[in-house]
Structure formats: C-alpha cells, structure tokens
Amino acid sequence: MAERPSTDEALFEYLLRLGDNCLILGHRTSEWCGKGPALEEDIALANTALDLIGQTQLWLSLAGEIEGKGRTADDLAYKRDAMDFRNVLLVEQPNGDFGQTLVRQFLFDAWHLPTLQALGDSSDSRLAEIAEKAIKEVTYHLERSTDLVIRLGDGTGESHARLQRAVDALWPLTDELREADDIERTLAGDGMAADPDALAQAWDTHVSNVLSRATLSRPEDGHGRYKGSGKRGRHSEHLGYILAEMQFLPRTYPDASW
Amino acid sequence: MYAQMVKTDGTGIKSSEQMTPEERAFQERIDADSRIEPKEWMPAGYRKTLIRQISQHAHSEIVGQLPESNWVTRAPTLERKAILLAKVQDEAGHGLYLYCAAETLGISRDEMFEQLHSGRAKYSSIFNYPTLSWADIGTVGWLVDGAAIMNQVPLQRTSYGPYARAMVRICKEESFHQRQGFHIMMQMAKGTEAQRRMAQDALDRFWYPALMMFGPSDADSVHSAQSMAWKIKIDTNDGLRQKFVDQTVPQAEYLGLTVPDDKLAWNADKFGEGKGGYDFSEPDWDEFFAVISGDGPCNAERLGARVKAWEEGAWYREGLMANAAKQADRQPAQAAA
Amino acid sequence: MSSVSSSAYPDTKEPAAERTPRPEWPLWEIFIRGQHGLNHRHVGSLHASDAQMAISNARDVYTRRNEGVSIWAVRSADIVASAPSEKGPLFDPADSKVYRHPTFFDIPEEVGHM
C-alpha cells in the first residue's frame, strides 16, 4: 500500500470510529450484567457485549498501528478524553429500559452489518481480515435484535408502546449513521471502506421492513441535524460520564499494570 | 459453599427397620452409587431437600453476579473487562442449569424466583459483602470461587442425576474462574505499593466471610447427616473448611500477603498419625447469622437489584408470550397445542 | 421391559381453544450436534416463549463456547419417555442420556405450565 499521509490520517480516524462504536456500545451493554429481564436474555446481552469488546481490541489495535505513535488499544480506550472519541451519538445513549437498549442495538446493527460486509471486500487486507472475523458475530446480533424488535413491537400493548417510544427518541440520531462525511467518501473512493450511499440504502430497506413487521411506525426524518457529531468528537453529555467510570483506574494509578 | 445449612425436614436418619421397603430399596441404590432420575420413586424428604439445595445454589449464582458486575464497567483493561464479563455470564448460565435441574423435581423457575424475592429462600452469605476495589474482584475469584469449587467438584458424584450433570457442566466452565482471580491478585501483590495495599485490604475483608461460606460446624446436625446419607451432601462443613484453609494459606504466602489471623499456624499432627493441618481461628458466627437474616452490608441492595430486574422485565417476558400466542393463532392447522 | 407412558399430566393439558398468554415461559429441552458430531446430544433445558426463541436462546446459553452447530428444541412437556419397570426402584436406565422428563408428582396449579 502506498504511504499517503492523508489516507493514513483518514484511515486512523475511520478505525477509531469503528473501534469506539464497539467499545462504547459494548460498555453500555455490559451495564446490564445481572440485571436483565430474563436469565436467557442476560446471557445473550453478555455475548453481545463480549463480541463488541473483542472487536474493539481488533479495530483500536490496528488504529494504533496506523497512527504509528506506539499507542495500544488499551491506551486509546483508557487515555483519550471525550473530544477525541469517534463513536456515533447513538451508542452512548443511556440504556433506559430494555426497549430502549434493544432499539439502540437494532438501529446500530442494521448499519454495522452492511458496513462490515463491505469492509470484507476492502482493498486494505488488514481491514478485510478484521471485518471477516466480526461478520459472523454481527450477523447474529442483527438476527437477534431484528427478531426481538418484531416480537416485542407486535407483543402486548405495553411492549409495543415502549418500543415505539424508543424508536421515536433514537431516530434523530440515526442521521449520523446514514450521512457520510469526507473521510468515509475518501476511503470509499479508494476501495477501502463501504460506499456510503449503498450503506444508507441497505439500512433504510432493512429498518423499514422490520418496523413494518413490528407494527411500529417510522418517524419523520431530518430532526438530527443539530444533535452534534460523535464522529467528529462533538458528543452528548453522556460520554463524559461513561469515560469517567471506565477510565478511572488507569487514570488514578498511571504507573500500575493490571 | 453456595448452599448453606439446608434443612431436611427430618429428625435424623432412619434405621433399616424404620424404613418402608421402598425407602430401603432407594437407600440401597444410593449406597451402590446409582443415579436417581426424575421419574423414579424417591422419599418426599429427599425431593424437598434437593429442591431447597439446588435452588439455593442457583440463587447464589444469580445473586453472585452482582458483586462482580459492580466492577465490569470499571475494569482497567479491555482484556480484564472481557474476562470479567465472561465470568459473570458463566454465573448466569450456572444459575440457569441449576434452576432447570430443580425443575425436574416439580417446581417451576418462577416459583423459585418468588421464594428468593420474598426472602423465603436464601443465597450464600458471601454475596452480601461489598466489592470496594479492583482487588476485591481478584479476591472473589481466588477465595469465593476457590471455596465453591471445593464443594462443587465432589457434587459431580451426587445421587440425583440432573443435579450431578449440571455440576459436571458447571465444573468444566468454572476452571478459569479461580485462576483469573488469582492472576489478578498476583499482578497486584507484585505491583505498585498502592496495588499491594489494595490486595492486602481485600484479603483482610474477605478472609472470614470466605470461611463462613462452608457454614457452621455440622458435627451434630441431623440435616447434614441425612443429606450425606442421601449423597446430596458429600463432605462435612468443617472438613471442607479445613481443606480450604490448608490449600489457601500457601497461596497467600506465595502472594506475599498476610492472612488476618494471628492464631494461624501449621500443626503437623493435627489429625493424628502424622496428618497435619493449619490451626486457625473460627469466623464470628454471630456475624454469619446476622448476615443471612438480612443484616449484612449489602442484603438490601442485592435482593433489591434482583427484584427490580424481575419486575421491570415483566413487560418483556409478557410481550414475548403475547407474540408467541399471536404467531400460534396465525398458523392454520399446525396450531401449537 | 419398559412401556411407554403418556404425558405426565393428562388433566393439566391446556384445551386447544384457550391460548391466552401465560406469564411463565415454557420449559424446553435442548439437543445439540457439534460441528463434527454425528448425533444431537441432550445438553440441558431453558425457558423461552416459543420454539424459535428456544433455539435462539440455546445458541446463547449452550453454544457460546462454539460447542455446536445444529440445535433442536423440544417442549419438555412434549417428551414422552419410557416408564421405570414395574419392579419400581430397581430400574436402572441403560442409557445415561435419559431425557429429563417431568416427574409424576402432583404439581399444584399455581406453579403453572410444566
């Protein structure tokens, strides 16, 4: 691969986005430990969280390599402040009730899988390799979240209402998933990352289909423009608290190894 | 030990003459190390005791997730985060296997949850203690899982088939739990001064509660004697506790940590005929009884968290049942009956 | 010689017309055939609201260590098992993989579906 600083910088940013999405969503999901609505669901949630943390390690390690300053995945996870994180706003939202957690997971999975599938064909073999590993896991994540959204959307009046509330609340944050910026377009142009328009289309088709089968209504688009930009480091107030908790030990004991 | 002081409803082991022919034949099968399976005849007391023991064990696994999940979001590396998450997940799985084993005896999982949430059923005393530092996570794996494993390995030979099979599965998965805890302790005990201090503090707080896990001395307990005759219980409380101390003290020495017991001393002839063991101080049994009656540091938080999870999850469970019913209605002749 | 026994609780069977949602998920027995396995083995049970959820849950509960590829789920109540011989407690199952069948003890109604 030709060494072009601007591509490496774009790639570094892009890998942080992929890794940070997995890290923050994995972290949020792990907050459910021991508190899920059923034992079987507790175990499923932990599987999802474990998958995401594993993927975090892969993406952030590669990011550190590309950056070339010797930062490991742990360095990146535990020592950056909020404005240097690149996850989308959707994944840092609080868990709320299980309905909100589920809808957050579903809306993300519907983007995550096609993204990984496209990355599996990346011209950069390092990205393709990681994507291949993650595809099996994320295929299952999307299968499960899709199935649960349909079942609970078309369950009792209460399960339907909770899911609709969650869809309405989280919908504006999906703009960020669906709208590509120059980093994504540059990398797509080089064949390294997914074509953003194809991604947005795949997301739209799947989500619309599922909402309809779940008897849920699709909210109006276009209300996410002024929410901020996680991809660019302009996060919600939630991320600061997540990091304060997550990073506490390494920051308090900087010379300790664990 | 996750099932402490399980009552047997009896006043003692019956002699052969006192037993009915069925009871005698049943006891002979147990003595011959035969497995008892769900459809077979069993004394009412055997069934009741098993339900109590297995469900108490299951409750302990489920509640036991909480002191550890307390630190999942603060795990100091991605690796430690993943390992702790996997351990807590295993505990949910163990609870699940055990509830399912108990269900073969004629009680439902929901009924067992009701017993737990109402306070009628107990869980192991150890989980009513707080985890205050990352070193506690190491200590819980090292001491609490260490104690649990001592009890669980022999239970793979317990007389009731579904319980024994659940224990086999659990023991296979348990193998990494204690090791991960000890690994954390090693890292910290040989780490910075602050880490070493944290590790020692954790040992100071968890040593006696860990000894309490085995339950008070059962030398005179009619319940223990009956449970052992039925092979629902394999070792005595004191026997397990001695074994635990003998195994653990050298591990503490390896770590360079001090067991908080100034009476601790190796006694080369403790059991006669050259068989030695450590002399050690008994835990404060008043504290133990207070903790299992609800006055421990975290009882309200632990039970509260489980009740909250259950109640707040009702709409999810009901939603899925409603959807299942709708789907069944939509199938023409293949309606699930 | 063993004989086939009918379902443990013929009088607690739900009438076909009644299908209101019950609060408790039924119990399912799970069978898994591993990647290189020849047969499905009984691995345990779990609760789920219907068959598809049982399979989905089984993937998480019983294959999270990549233990299996093909999963069967059967409602525990639908399993028909051989009865112990008329000689009573001397019956010794030849196959250690005996199905965990609900017992023949009376179950109070409030316990719910078994």
Side-chain angles (χ1 to χ4, degrees), chain B residues 18-71:
Chain B
Q18 292 169 314
M19 290 184 189
T20 65
E22 290 96 348
E23 285 171 335
R24 219 171 297 133
F26 177 81
Q27 189 60 50
E28 276 162 24
R29 291 192 58 204
I30 303 243
D31 293 341
D33 281 329
S34 257
R35 281 277 161 79
I36 310 299
E37 297 294 344
K39 288 200 65 167
E40 289 153 16
W41 185 91
M42 59 184 77
Y46 178 84
R47 186 174 78 92
K48 270 194 186 161
T49 305
L50 265 179
I51 288 177
R52 278 191 192 125
Q53 175 158 323
I54 299 174
S55 62
Q56 195 184 112
H57 192 163
H59 298 324
S60 296
E61 295 279 358
I62 300 310
V63 176
Q65 293 176 85
L66 297 171
E68 290 176 301
S69 66
N70 189 31
W71 278 86

Side-chain angles (χ1 to χ4, degrees), chain A residues 19-54:
Chain A
D20 289 347
N21 281 338
C22 291
L23 175 59
I24 299 303
L25 185 56
H27 180 95
R28 274 294 194 214
T29 307
S30 77
E31 290 173 7
W32 277 99
C33 249
K35 300 171 182 163
L39 269 187
E40 287 80 2
E41 191 60 50
D42 248 322
I43 294 171
L45 285 162
N47 271 342
T48 303
L50 276 166
D51 289 344
L52 290 169
I53 289 164

